[in-house]
Amino acid sequence: MTRLLELRGVSKSFGGLRAVDDLSFAVEEGHIVGLIGPNGAGKSTVFNLITGVYRPDAGQVLWRGREITGAAPHAVAALGIRRTFQTIRLFGEMTVFENVRAGIHLRARQRWWQGVLGLPAQRREEERLAAETRAVLARLGLADVADKPATGLPYGLQRRVELARTLVAGPALIILDEPAAGLNEAESAALNETIFGIRDQGITVLLVEHDMNVVMNVTDHIVVINFGRKIAEGNAGAIRADPAVVEAYLGRAGDEEAAP
Amino acid sequence: MGTFIQQLINGLTVGGVYALIALGYTMVYGVLRLINFAHGDLCILGAFIGLTVLTGGLGGGHPGAALLALAFIAAIIAIAIAGVLLEIIAYRPLRRADRLAAVVSALGASMLIENGIMLIWGPDVHVFPPDLLPKTSWRVAGAAISFTQLMIILISCALMAALYGFVNHTRFGTAIRAAAIDQDAARLMGINVNRVIGSVFVIGPALGAVGGLFIGVYYREAYFTMGWTYGLSAFIAAILGGIGNIPGAMLGGVLLGLFNAFAAGYVSSSWQDAITFLLLIAILILRPTGLLGERVAEKV
Amino acid sequence: MSATRMGLAGGLAWLLCLAIPALAGSAWVAIFATFAIYAITALSEDIILGRAGIYDMGHAVYLGIGAYATAILNTAFGWPILATIPAAILAAALAGGLLSAPLIRLRGDYLLVATIGFNAIFILVMQNDPGGITGGSDGIAGIDVPALFGWQLASQNALFWLDWGVLGLALLLMRNLDRCEFGRALRYIKQDQLAAATLGVDTRRVKTLAFALGAGLAGLAGSLFAVQLSSVSPSSFVFTESVTLFAIVIVGGPGSIPGVLLGAALMFVVPEIFRDFAQYRYFVFGIAMIAVMVLRPQGLWPRRRAA
């Protein structure tokens, strides 16, 4: 097993608040890794630190053993890391097809002036990338809604569009920020299958999720954080039995489900 | 030393006027996140209305303090009404629309008012009556301060102090500050946001009308494109102090007035404006939130 | 109507317009030649404002740089007009790229104000006549007519066809922009910069390119502008012109080619029909800008959206 992604002692503060505190963990290639923790534990901040939205105050982020700490978001994307957002961020003025097509951006080899001049090689590439986009849409069952405005779709479908947008890039690692949020039970169950399907394509998955059903059933490895610090790490069985985790969760289980 | 004090006096006079006008920009930006491009034109419309009262009154008799006061009151009332109408017609329908639509509406309102002035009063420069104010001036440390300058500085300071007190020490002032930080939260707290926005379009233009008329009285002239020239300076002052920040607009106005006055002593006047704009761009790039920081919450 | 049929209709309309000199009097030929120049400029503003969503309110600067480049190179250095055109494009594109570098980090309104500032500085510099090359407030007169293989494009009709030929090229360029990765990246950035970046769009680079491309196209229009008037002066590139270009894009429909052309026609052709009421022009514009935004905030002819 190789370490695809590794965080070493990463910290980030906002104002006086330590959102992430000396956090270290690794994501093995081919695994599905879950990052869990109570609300406000700093999970989304961790994602933002990995994907270059925030720059860590301290510590290192490594990709295949090479340091990428503080790389810009587009540079992180170029490594083959794709993410979804907790609050879905689809392009509101675009169709489902156009949204998913956006995910293929880095695989376009055309230069800007070739596009502006409309040269034949560029036109051929356009057709090829459009066909690949349609193939991904078909695979995720989105072919029927391809020409609909993306943000007009039901929530579950929007999540799937966002997922399709990451998959079309052919990434090495997909980071899912609460993929089950807002899904009904049937959709949530289907999501498990989708995540396994992604892993079976050879894509590593790192996910933040509140839905314990999803987390416990799909992950190979779980990292638990609270107040920005890692409090436990291991497989689903070990995490379930870990007293620190039980305390962090059960002590405040009541407010956990209702939160966004 | 004498010239230094003189430039200080000149700078404070112009700075006070800038500050009065800048407050209108900053208050509207605070609650609506909108650059009210029409504000400078409203202020100059105030100058024209005041001028009309003055010249009309002059025909009837001797100019006096009462006539001047009447001119100011007429300008304040007319421009406050115009400000409210502007908000209702051009901005309120666009509150939920794309920001650019409101920007273009504001630009349209600016064109409308500026050219409205031109159509009513003509394209020529209007000269203010010469004997409006006493010609008295006092000598201060080798410099002269005229009656007009003293009046502008004192009234500007008094108005700003009153506004500062109103915004910081009354319930309604607190509502204005709350709406500037987060409109939705303010609404949930029971604040009538529409009233707050309406009030900002009364207070800002009213202060601006005084500023506009001060410009007319001080430079003794008014012309229809003046709103653009002085409006932009006042707007730069608002940014200098941190847009949306009320004390910032006051500080920014005074600093810009002083900056202009002192720059005039060392740089040829044809390059002076260019330096003001370079200052603006430098501030935007180096410290976009202004000297005192913007009081505008941004949603992430 | 599908995009292809729309394009065909547009191409046909363009061909028909080429016949204007044969059908209309010389006054109309001049008006439509001017329209072509401003339409190119408005399209170039659309690249920056309408597509990339960058609040550029100083676009007249790039029109001015192109016009002054042609004027100076032709009158002071004796370059033939056609040779000045690439220089005009390059100078404007370079200015756009360089000015944008510090600006694109700024948030919407601040960028808008900074571009207003650059416009004001540009005018002041031109008026102050640095090194005696810009002619101060009077500007530069006596610009040559273009010559092609010894054939002088002296007649008004010849200039009309030159302007409309370039407009045709600009329209092709805008159409291609809709169909290429670079053009799409602009729209991603406009709608959600963070999402675009996480998809791999180098937002800084793409925005700088948009600025340079938009400025370069405006520089080309500026060159034509100088030739059309045979003179340039600062008053043609003042802030009001930038506001007009900004308004054309937003009133017409950002990112919509027919919308921007319609906007340009409303601002530059319609006033010619009502010449007797010239003094009301900007007064009416002001009312129209408010009315259109209140009634149709998405613009008169918005970009085609998904079904």
Side-chain angles (χ1 to χ4, degrees), chain A residues 40-65:
Chain A
K43 298 170 305 241
S44 284
T45 306
V46 173
F47 281 9
N48 285 331
L49 289 168
I50 296 169
T51 53
V53 177
Y54 300 145
R55 172 184 275 276
D57 298 331
Q60 295 173 300
V61 181
L62 290 94
W63 175 254
R64 297 188 197 276

Side-chain angles (χ1 to χ4, degrees), chain B residues 25-34 179-181 243-244 295-296:
Chain B
Y25 284 109
T26 231
M27 290 176 79
V28 167
Y29 196 89
V31 294
L32 287 184
R33 311 287 181 273
L34 169 72
I181 293 166
I243 188 105
R295 294 276 165 83
V296 172

Side-chain angles (χ1 to χ4, degrees), chain C residues 123-173:
Chain C
I123 295 301
L124 288 165
V125 170
M126 294 301 112
Q127 282 173 344
N128 279 314
D129 200 7
I133 58 167
T134 68
S137 296
D138 298 333
I140 301 167
I143 297 164
D144 285 341
V145 293
L148 201 59
F149 311 118
W151 178 50
Q152 301 270 313
L153 299 179
S155 77
Q156 199 179 31
N157 289 357
L159 287 181
F160 172 92
W161 283 314
L162 173 68
D163 297 340
W164 274 77
V166 175
L167 174 60
L169 291 177
L171 288 168
L172 276 178
L173 184 147

